[in-house]
Amino acid sequence: MKVKKGFNLREVCGEHIIVAEGDENIDFSNIISMNESSAFLWEEVQKMESFSIDDLVNILCSQYEVDKETAKKDAEALAAQWGKAGIIEGNDVPEGSIETVSTIETEPKKRDSATIKTDNSAQEQPKKKGFFKRLFG
């Protein structure tokens, strides 16, 4: 799979939006809003010449506290959504429906040991965002 040329992520009023740029995308009339997690994945795959489901899984597991099985299921669903939206291309784009996307609860891995909470039971946890909650708005 690869990102179609001319589709770029922009932040508009605090929302992550895919914007079609260039003459080849002049007929693209969809508005695609991504949550923070899917926007992060989009930025990562834009740096690659091509990517696979396994690449998405590895990126997810390195950034979020999620098991590989869940990451693979959600990576397949996300890639299928991107394919349906017409923003990626390739013979290996998985097929699926938007309704099959899960809303796993993820939280970025802590990179700085000073920010890790030591007593989680005594502190109220912030509400976690769903992985694909706002993919298509």
Side-chain angles (χ1 to χ4, degrees), residues 18-134:
I18 294 291
V19 177
E21 299 172 349
D23 292 338
E24 65 273 5
N25 298 319
I26 200 152
D27 292 333
F28 186 78
S29 60
N30 295 329
I31 295 176
I32 300 173
S33 175
M34 294 190 181
N35 68 11
E36 189 175 320
S37 301
S38 57
F40 170 75
L41 283 172
W42 182 261
E43 288 173 335
E44 293 300 307
V45 299
Q46 277 192 308
K47 299 173 189 173
M48 303 174 175
E49 180 141 338
S50 66
F51 65 95
S52 66
I53 295 298
D54 288 336
D55 293 325
L56 293 175
V57 169
N58 291 333
I59 294 167
L60 280 172
C61 289
S62 69
Q63 183 68 20
Y64 297 94
E65 295 177 3
V66 61
D67 63 272
K68 283 195 178 240
E69 183 179 318
T70 303
K72 183 172 182 168
K73 179 183 165 195
D74 289 336
E76 288 172 346
L78 179 62
Q81 288 180 351
W82 286 351
K84 277 186 159 189
I87 59 176
I88 62 170
E89 59 190 356
N91 295 334
D92 55 345
V93 175
E95 293 185 19
S97 67
I98 292 173
E99 292 76 33
T100 63
V101 176
S102 72
T103 54
I104 64 169
E105 300 293 320
T106 59
E107 185 171 278
K109 287 185 178 177
K110 306 294 187 218
R111 300 217 185 263
D112 180 3
S113 61
T115 63
I116 297 175
K117 296 177 182 176
T118 55
D119 183 10
N120 290 336
S121 62
Q123 298 176 3
E124 190 173 313
Q125 296 291 322
K127 185 175 180 182
K128 297 177 183 178
K129 294 181 181 176
F131 184 71
F132 295 108
K133 194 166 187 149
R134 288 189 354 229

